[in-house]
Every structure is written in structure tokens, then in C-alpha cells.
Amino acid sequence: MHRRMIAPGALAAATLLLAIPASAASHSPGAPGIGDPYYPYYGNGGYDVSHYDLRLKYQPATDELEGTATIEARTTQDLSSFDLDFLLDVSEVRVNGATAAYASSGQHELVITPKKPLAKDTPITVVVRYSGVPSTKSAYGFTTWHRTPDGGIAADEPEAAWWWFPSNDHPGDKATYDVSVAVPDGTQAISNGTLQSTGSQLGWTRYNWRQNKPQATYLATLAIGKFDITTGTSEGGVPVLNAYSRDLGDNAGAARASVERTGEIVDWLSGFFGPYPFGSAGGYVPNTTTGYALETQTRVYYSPKQFAGGSNTSVVVHELAHQWYGDSVSLKGWKDIWINEGFARYAQWLWSEHEGEGTAQELADWVYASHPAGDPFWTVAPGDPGPDDQFDIAVYDRGALAVQALRNEIGDKAFFALLKGWPQKHAYGNASVADFRKYAEQVSGKPLAALFDTWLFQPVKPAAPAARAASLTKASAPTAPPRSWKKIEATNDVHTR
Ligand code: TRP
Ligand code: ZN
């Protein structure tokens, strides 16, 4: 890639053109988005990450995070520059060892211009040194970094990574992770996967976490605070690590009574979904005031509010079901969210049946009857809800109704084969609703286009399946949860108590 020396005075236009190396002319900037129509600037084009190495230091007193991200990637086109998604303050960028120019652009783009253009299909190493106070950074007018009295937490969907590490922020580019975090002695740092080691030096304790299976960026989590950590192994042999803030007040008992059942529930879910896909399982309950849970890979995030009404194994089932449906098998585009939420909700119905609190069919009938034809619930298409309704209650409840309708159409034998086959077929990869339909047709031998269209895409209440009509006329069907439950506060704790 040597630029030809041009003899002084010989700057005719033709000479200039010839002076540009042929390869450089074809190099172009990587796209600022990976191509998801719901979120045009999420993720980036031109490269594919295989590994994130994050070496961080966090000061709970001030919310200051500093560190170095080393990103192993491979180019997928000839690149003159490329983007990472990131919000903190960058002090140095290196590409393949050489310092590179960088600039912020848009809401969360970090544009990196290496000294030499990058050829397609070559491995690259990108080093980003950075620091910042995550709670002060926002994009699109919001921050998802949760400050707590004794630390901070990164756990959100579909965006959380920008506040703590530079990334190709879209589930379409999964990678393995080493997350090493130094915190003041006496404070803990929780992340995904296995705790490889800890060590203390100069008053700082370093926690070294490893996620050795591909993980979507939004499923990477970081929690700093004062935690009690419990460890064990499920009967089926899955190592379990849970963490509880020491500041959970009177939710502490119910939180433990729920999350300590992780091993039992992982084993139970394995009966439906096949072997647990990861080398560790567990969850953490920090001292936040926000009210949801998130299926952060191997280490689920639970808000204490999930346990304010008492123990809640249903939310544990929901988040652990995502480890197969959502985490190991990730969506291709955010429009495919039904595969995550419809199946995680359906797992709650199966658990309810297991606990003797109503069968999946009874719950399906109840949800169906709870929403009259005019209810806006039916206007949300779980198969492509749009970004504003991505986590609408309909994606969960109508989504699970669609699963029950599928079960009734293809019969239990094919249905349970499908439930187990899917996580195997796409293990550690990505798949779409269309891929699911094709696979369901293959496993069942039945055409399913009409069924999928009716239950996942039509903006109206489907007609009651004839075989079920009788049970739907029960006058005693409970009324619908209020529409104000709509958003995420309620999405993963209905049907619990
Ligand atoms: N996926 C989460 C669940 O169902 C819910 C969720 C949606 C969420 N959006 C979120 C959680 C934002 C935290 C932040 O378990
Ligand atoms: Zn969910």
C-alpha cells in the first residue's frame, strides 16, 4: 500500500489518478448500522467481532469507569474506516498496533480511521482506551446505566453496551468475552459466565469473568456493588453462581427463595429445551429501584421489585428459558422478538402446570378470553411488532398464545420435538421467525403459513379454535390485566401469584 512518489511539477490529472493505489480506491467506510430496520444505527457494517477483552476499573463513590477494550474482529469488506457504538470518553485507539484517528458522530458512533486501509477478510485487533461517568452519558435522550447506592449496573435491552464498552452493538454480531473489573476491596463486580479468578492489590480487588460461548452485546452485563455470592451445582451438573445485594431490605428473603431455585429450574427446563447451553447459570439481584428482569447470558438480572410480592419462581423460569430462546439462539433482527418472549412466556405456563397452578391450555384460554375483540392488545403483531411495541404485553401473551395454537395444530409429539430441536439447530447462532416457521413445518410435516399469519401477524383477534371454543365461554374467566401494565414493568411477572 505504498503511495507512489510524484515528481514535482508532474501533477497532471492523469498522473494523480495513477498515483492512487488501486486497492485504496475500493476501500470505503463501514456502515454506521448493521442493517436492522427497527434501529438503523445499532451495530455497524464492515467487520465481525469474535472476542471482547475488557479490562476495567470502577469507583463506586464517583461512578467513574475507566479501562481498555481489546476487540478481536475480522473485516468483511475493504475498509477505509469503521464504527463502534460507544458513549464514554476515548483517549486512544489502536488498530493492529498503530494509533488510529477517531471521532464521535451521531448519537453513539465512534468512527475509527486506521492509518492504513484494511483489506477484506483479514483479522484486526482494535484497542480502545477510555474513561467516563456512565450515568452522565445519554443517547436519544436516555441512559440505561443504573446507578445504585453502592455502585452501578449495565443491564438493558435492546441497548446497554454503549455505557460501558465499545462494540458492534447488535445481536447479529455475537462474540466471546473476558471481563476483568477492579473495584475497591470489599466491593464485588459481577458479570457473565464463570469467575476465573480474583485477586487484590493496592486496595483494589479484581474480578476476572469469562463467557466462552458467543454472546450478544445486550446480554453482556456488569454489576458493581456489595453482594453476597452463593455457588453450587445443579443436580444435572450445571455450575450455579448467584449474587444478592446486601441492601435488599425485606425483599431479601423472597429474592433468595426464588433465585436459589435456579439449578432446579435449569434442570427442569432442560427436559423441554435440551441440555443447558452454557457452562454456568445464575442471577443477581442488585439494589435498584427499577422494576424488571433481563436474561443477561448465564447471569440473569433481577430487580428486587420482582420479589416485592413474595417469592417469584415464574420470573426465574422466564429468564432462564431465554438462555435457550434468545441467548444461545439469538434473534436475527429485533423484529424477531417473538422467538424470545413468546417462548419465555410459554415456559412460565409450563411451569404453572408443573406447580399445579393451571395448565398451559387453561392459561391460553384465560389470556384469550381476557382480551375482547376490540382490545388494542390484538392490534400488536407479535411476529413484527415494530420498535415502539417491541416489548408490549402482546408480544409476550399473544406470543405465547401463538405457541399454544401451534401445539394444538401439530400435536404434542411434534411440538415437544420442535421445542427441543430448535435450540440444537441454531445453538449459539441467530434465527428469524421465518426460520422458525420453516423448521416447524419440517418437524411437523404440516404447512403452517396460515397459522403463523393468524396468530403472529394479523392485527385482529383470531377466531377461537373450534376444539377450544367450549372452554372460552366460561363466565368466570378473570379480566385482563389493566392496559397500563403494558410496558416492561409488568411483562415478566404476570401469572405469578
Ligand atoms: N427481555 C426482558 C424480559 O422479558 C424484558 C425487557 C424488555 C427489559 N426491555 C427491557 C428488561 C429493558 C430490561 C430493560 O425478561
Ligand atoms: Zn423475556
Side-chain angles (χ1 to χ4, degrees):
M1 222 82 64
H2 295 289
R3 200 166 271 275
R4 243 175 245 268
M5 289 295 291
I6 303 169
L11 295 175
T15 315
L16 257 183
L17 273 176
L18 284 172
I20 297 171
S23 57
S26 66
H27 288 74
S28 54
I34 207 169
D36 190 318
Y38 279 23
Y39 305 103
Y41 294 102
Y42 287 23
N44 304 289
Y47 64 94
D48 192 68
V49 177
S50 57
H51 185 72
Y52 292 96
D53 182 284
L54 310 178
R55 191 172 175 89
L56 310 174
K57 186 176 185 181
Y58 181 79
Q59 176 52 263
T62 58
D63 196 34
E64 282 168 297
L65 180 69
E66 62 178 297
T68 302
T70 303
I71 302 172
E72 296 296 326
R74 202 173 175 86
T75 55
T76 56
Q77 69 177 68
D78 288 337
L79 285 170
S80 54
S81 68
F82 62 92
D83 287 14
L84 289 166
D85 300 299
F86 197 41
L87 291 176
L88 300 187
D89 309 321
V90 173
S91 57
E92 181 179 84
V93 176
R94 287 178 181 265
V95 177
N96 297 336
T99 52
Y102 59 91
S104 300
S105 131
Q107 294 285 324
H108 48 84
E109 302 295 314
L110 173 67
V111 183
I112 297 173
T113 307
K115 284 214 172 77
K116 298 180 188 171
L118 305 169
K120 182 180 172 171
D121 261 338
T122 54
I124 56 170
T125 299
V126 183
V127 176
V128 181
R129 286 169 71 95
Y130 60 91
S131 64
V133 176
S135 57
T136 66
K137 303 289 181 176
S138 64
Y140 309 106
F142 61 83
T143 175
T144 74
W145 178 262
H146 309 285
R147 192 81 164 97
T148 61
D150 55 3
I153 303 151
D156 221 294
E157 181 182 13
E159 61 288 280
W162 316 327
W163 286 269
W164 68 288
F165 68 101
S167 76
N168 189 17
D169 193 21
H170 191 275
D173 189 357
K174 295 163 73 165
T176 56
Y177 289 70
D178 276 327
V179 176
S180 172
V181 193
V183 291
D185 287 346
T187 290
Q188 284 71 37
I190 309 296
S191 189
N192 312 86
T194 54
L195 184 57
Q196 299 289 108
S197 63
T198 60
S200 170
Q201 168 176 300
L202 303 175
W204 293 82
T205 304
R206 185 169 282 284
Y207 288 79
N208 297 303
W209 294 92
R210 171 166 294 174
Q211 174 57 265
N212 66 354
K213 297 288 190 223
Q215 171 173 285
T217 43
Y218 82 98
L219 296 173
T221 192
L222 176 65
I224 294 112
K226 298 208 164 151
F227 287 96
D228 288 325
I229 295 177
T230 66
T231 58
T233 306
S234 80
E235 191 179 4
V238 178
V240 178
L241 184 152
N242 298 316
Y244 305 90
S245 167
R246 290 173 205 161
D247 180 26
L248 293 179
D250 61 9
N251 290 325
R256 284 178 190 245
S258 311
V259 178
E260 285 303 304
R261 294 182 68 182
T262 293
E264 171 196 348
I265 292 170
V266 162
D267 289 352
W268 178 79
L269 285 168
S270 302
F272 293 98
F273 298 155
Y276 182 70
F278 305 118
S280 180
Y284 69 94
V285 191
N287 45 347
T288 51
T289 52
T290 46
Y292 46 76
L294 184 66
E295 62 268 26
T296 37
Q297 192 161 308
T298 68
R299 194 116 309 103
V300 168
Y301 162 82
Y302 298 102
S303 149
K305 276 195 184 157
Q306 292 289 341
F307 310 107
S311 68
N312 183 358
T313 48
S314 192
V315 70
V316 178
V317 168
H318 181 104
E319 304 309 335
L320 292 175
H322 276 309
Q323 303 303 310
W324 287 262
Y325 281 82
D327 292 9
S328 173
V329 185
S330 296
L331 38 72
K332 263 185 190 161
W334 283 110
K335 73 171 170 42
D336 299 311
I337 191 68
W338 169 69
I339 302 181
N340 293 17
E341 303 305 347
F343 286 83
R345 173 67 93 233
Y346 197 76
Q348 292 175 274
W349 291 2
L350 293 171
W351 177 252
S352 163
E353 187 162 342
H354 171 73
E355 297 288 275
E357 296 177 358
T359 66
Q361 183 66 62
E362 285 169 342
L363 288 164
D365 292 346
W366 178 75
V367 167
Y368 183 88
S370 298
H371 299 282
D375 190 328
F377 175 86
W378 298 108
T379 63
V380 175
D384 189 357
D388 291 344
D389 286 330
Q390 197 187 339
F391 297 103
D392 189 276
I393 192 74
V395 174
Y396 292 71
D397 281 349
R398 184 177 170 177
L401 274 179
V403 176
Q404 183 66 31
L406 173 66
R407 177 177 171 180
N408 291 337
E409 177 77 14
I410 67 178
D412 277 3
K413 193 160 175 280
F415 176 74
F416 288 109
L418 175 62
L419 220 48
K420 214 176 247 183
W422 176 256
Q424 288 294 325
K425 183 174 168 62
H426 294 285
Y428 312 120
N430 299 77
S432 66
V433 174
D435 295 331
F436 190 88
R437 177 174 61 79
K438 277 182 228 125
Y439 183 64
E441 288 175 335
Q442 190 191 317
V443 170
S444 68
K446 288 196 168 193
L448 297 168
L451 180 110
F452 273 69
D453 185 56
T454 301
W455 289 93
L456 292 181
F457 292 97
Q458 289 303 319
V460 292
K461 183 171 183 172
R468 311 289 343 152
S471 64
L472 298 179
T473 56
K474 269 190 262 168
S476 59
T479 49
R483 187 69 184 157
S484 57
W485 278 31
K486 190 173 176 293
K487 285 297 173 189
I488 56 175
E489 295 288 325
T491 44
N492 44 31
D493 65 359
V494 271
H495 305 319
T496 309
R497 289 172 287 274

